[in-house]
Amino acid sequence: NENYKRMEAFMPLTGDFRRPIAMEITPEGILYVLEYGTIYGADNVDARLVRVDYHDGNRAPVAKITANDSVGL
């Protein structure tokens, strides 16, 4: 209908889909993505079905740590 406004990001930029070929959203809001994998053919060890759950509201914090081992303060 040419009335697209925007799309919200639903995964981090580091998401790792490998040639997705199909996706489905269930009535419960679960996203399933079927991936072919990094290569085409029967020897495809990383083909997979991925489940992405949506959790609204506040999310648990992500702990991050950095270290600096330089001497001479």
Side-chain angles (χ1 to χ4, degrees), residues 37-49:
T38 54
I39 61 170
Y40 292 113
D43 296 330
N44 195 348
V45 296
D46 62 349
R48 60 188 181 169
L49 176 64

Side-chain angles (χ1 to χ4, degrees):
N1 294 333
E2 298 183 18
N3 60 356
Y4 175 81
K5 294 187 185 208
R6 71 175 190 255
M7 180 182 355
E8 300 294 330
F10 67 93
M11 289 190 65
L13 296 176
T14 57
D16 184 21
F17 285 121
R18 298 177 192 118
R19 293 187 181 164
I21 58 173
M23 59 189 277
E24 183 77 28
I25 299 175
T26 68
E28 296 80 22
I30 300 167
L31 171 66
Y32 287 97
V33 180
L34 182 61
E35 300 178 35
Y36 204 95
T38 54
I39 61 170
Y40 292 113
D43 296 330
N44 195 348
V45 296
D46 62 349
R48 60 188 181 169
L49 176 64
V50 178
R51 176 181 166 153
V52 179
D53 292 305
Y54 172 76
H55 299 282
D56 63 347
N58 293 329
R59 292 171 176 79
V62 176
K64 294 184 179 183
I65 187 168
T66 60
N68 185 343
D69 62 356
S70 63
V71 180
L73 299 174

